[in-house]
Structures are given as structure tokens and as C-alpha cells.
Amino acid sequence: EVQLAESGGALVQPGGSLTLSCAASGLTFRTAWMTWVRQVPGKGLEWVSAISPGALSTFYTNSVKGRFTISRDNAKNTVYLQMNSLKTEDTAMYYCTNGWLGAKYYSDLTHPPRSPDWGQGTQVIVSS
């Protein structure tokens, strides 16, 4: 069974940095696209970033370009999201999911599906 476990969320001041991790098991990680999605309380999902299996392709939503970096370690079955210059509007629950279905698919979701292809999320709060 696929299992995804996010970690690394925390309370951080504006301008600070965090690195989120997502450990995967139960799938052939080295062949899987991986995606980070976030949800602000009371709002739908927002796609954040995606990375191809070999890390040759990475995508970012416009609001995080230049501040966030997605990476992966296929030997550790882990995908990361390095977040720099954090803003209050980055406050959200961050989820990782295997696959890449396009930005619109994730943004049309009102909540994360109850699926083993989604983690339980890790909370990021950016506040002074």
C-alpha cells in the first residue's frame, strides 16, 4: 500500500525558511512524479510544485517561483520542498501526492482526497 508522510512544518517568522519532507513507501518512487499541494484554512487546494521522476523537470506556481525549491532523493524515497523568504500568505497545510495531474486538477479540489496517494499534511504557519 502506498504511504506518504510529510514532515517539517512549523511556525516561522516572515522572511524565514523551512524545508518540508515527504517520505514515500509502497510505490516505485524513482518512476513517480511527485507534487506538493497546499490548503489555506477555509479555501480550496492550491498546487505548489511538481518534480519529474529523474528531477529533470520541475514546476512551480507563480506565487512561489524564486522562493521555493523542490527536490528529491530517489535513494531515500523522499521529496523535499525548500521554502525561503516565507510570507504570511504561505501559511497553509502542505500535502504531498504522487503523480502530476496538472495545476487545474489540484486547484479544482476542495479538499485532499481520502487516498493513499496523498499524505496527511504538515502545517506551516508564517507569522510574527
Side-chain angles (χ1 to χ4, degrees), residues 20-92:
L20 305 183
S21 300
C22 173
S25 61
L27 74 161
T28 307
F29 184 80
R30 66 182 183 277
T31 65
W33 280 79
M34 297 299 295
T35 298
W36 285 98
V37 181
R38 66 187 179 185
Q39 184 171 32
V40 174
K43 295 187 177 181
L45 298 182
E46 177 187 29
W47 161 71
V48 177
S49 183
I51 187 168
S52 64
L56 293 179
S57 296
T58 56
F59 303 130
Y60 300 92
T61 193
N62 285 339
S63 62
V64 308
K65 281 182 181 177
R67 300 189 298 120
F68 290 11
T69 302
I70 191 170
S71 63
R72 64 191 296 158
D73 185 337
N74 287 347
K76 295 182 178 180
N77 286 5
T78 301
V79 61
Y80 305 97
L81 187 67
Q82 171 70 43
M83 306 186 294
N84 298 326
S85 302
L86 282 162
K87 305 176 179 180
T88 55
E89 51 263 43
D90 295 318
T91 293

